[in-house]
Amino acid sequence: SEGVRGAGRVDGAGAPSRGAAAFSHAHAARLGASRGPPRPIYGERMSTIRDVAVIGGGIAGASVAHELAASRSVVLLEAETALGTHSTARSAATWIPGHGVAAVRALITASGPRFAALAAEWDAPPLLAPRPVFWTASDADAEAALAAVVAERTGEPDAPVPVDPDEARLRCPALREVRAAALTEAAADVDVAALHAAYLRGLRARGGTVRTSARVVALRRDGAGWRVGLAGGDELHAGEIVDAAGAWA
């Protein structure tokens, strides 16, 4: 199984603004008149100014950019010529209720209905395909540890439940030494390519911009925002930066 990793850090100019005053002028005009002071203009064309620049076009960057674009102007910057070519393309991509520590389990549970909602909203195929997951123990120590895992998760949605070792071997013949077993029946594979594509469609539909071959080589403060330098000499401005570039940054 694959753990849940953070989408990166957010660097900004302190606490986020509230309401339309947090949007760029172009975005605020689309959503209605601002009731607060406008965001600063950094002396560049409006096309180079965004409320948020998200660095990294994988699943983390695409999902964060999609959510932010509901209320802000967003540009998604990807260093490679294609999106999602590193960790996203290699993801084990499983959704396993009961996996991980309590905080992670809560996130997994909360994310379940979101897959169906995203598929419906952005015309994607089903994003989850059933794949039950067995938890197995082959010796006394592992059996005790598995019992503790099951006990800790008792009462949680779709938590693993104990099953007879013979049932585990019957359903998964590759298993050999099984002293104890538990089953998460509701676990599923995630269609990462479809999920990634849905987030990108949603981002663009919300007015977001996606740029490939846009490697960020410099970041520096400029008043209330950031100057973002790209390979090749291009530059843009953003009020906030989200670093979702992953291990290849």
Side-chain angles (χ1 to χ4, degrees), residues 2-247:
E2 184 178 56
V4 177
R5 295 176 173 84
R9 65 179 184 275
V10 179
D11 296 312
S17 301
R18 300 289 183 182
F23 311 147
S24 68
H25 297 310
H27 218 61
R30 181 170 65 85
L31 297 176
S34 171
R35 289 176 292 184
R39 291 179 65 88
I41 299 298
Y42 303 109
E44 296 287 331
R45 299 188 309 276
M46 182 61 69
S47 62
T48 68
I49 300 171
R50 295 292 186 274
D51 292 325
V52 184
V54 178
I55 303 171
I59 194 69
S63 59
V64 168
H66 166 268
E67 297 300 331
L68 290 173
S71 59
R72 299 185 182 190
S73 62
V74 178
V75 59
L76 180 65
L77 304 172
E78 169 56 49
E80 308 294 349
T81 57
L83 298 164
T85 58
H86 293 302
S87 294
T88 299
R90 299 168 174 83
S91 174
T94 50
W95 181 78
I96 308 176
H99 173 73
V101 299
V104 171
R105 299 197 302 271
L107 289 171
I108 292 170
T109 298
S111 71
R114 186 71 176 133
F115 288 104
L118 278 168
E121 186 176 7
W122 302 121
D123 192 26
L127 298 174
L128 297 180
R131 183 178 293 277
V133 168
F134 279 105
W135 310 57
T136 63
S138 59
D139 57 35
D141 289 342
E143 183 179 15
L146 179 56
V149 165
V150 171
E152 182 184 9
R153 289 154 177 75
T154 298
E156 295 181 5
D158 300 314
V161 296
V163 296
D164 188 273
D166 289 338
E167 179 183 350
R169 282 188 289 264
L170 180 64
R171 293 185 59 174
C172 184
L175 294 173
R176 293 293 183 264
E177 298 295 325
V178 181
R179 180 167 175 150
L183 174 65
T184 302
E185 191 73 62
D189 289 333
V190 180
D191 188 336
V192 176
L195 178 61
H196 189 238
Y199 276 131
L200 292 172
R201 278 197 301 278
L203 169 62
R204 292 183 173 108
R206 291 173 171 180
T209 302
V210 178
R211 293 186 59 173
T212 56
S213 301
R215 184 177 299 276
V216 174
V217 296
L219 288 170
R220 71 176 187 275
R221 274 296 200 180
D222 181 21
W226 296 83
R227 285 182 179 266
V228 183
L230 306 179
D234 199 4
E235 187 176 74
L236 56 86
H237 295 80
E240 295 178 308
I241 304 295
V242 177
D243 180 2

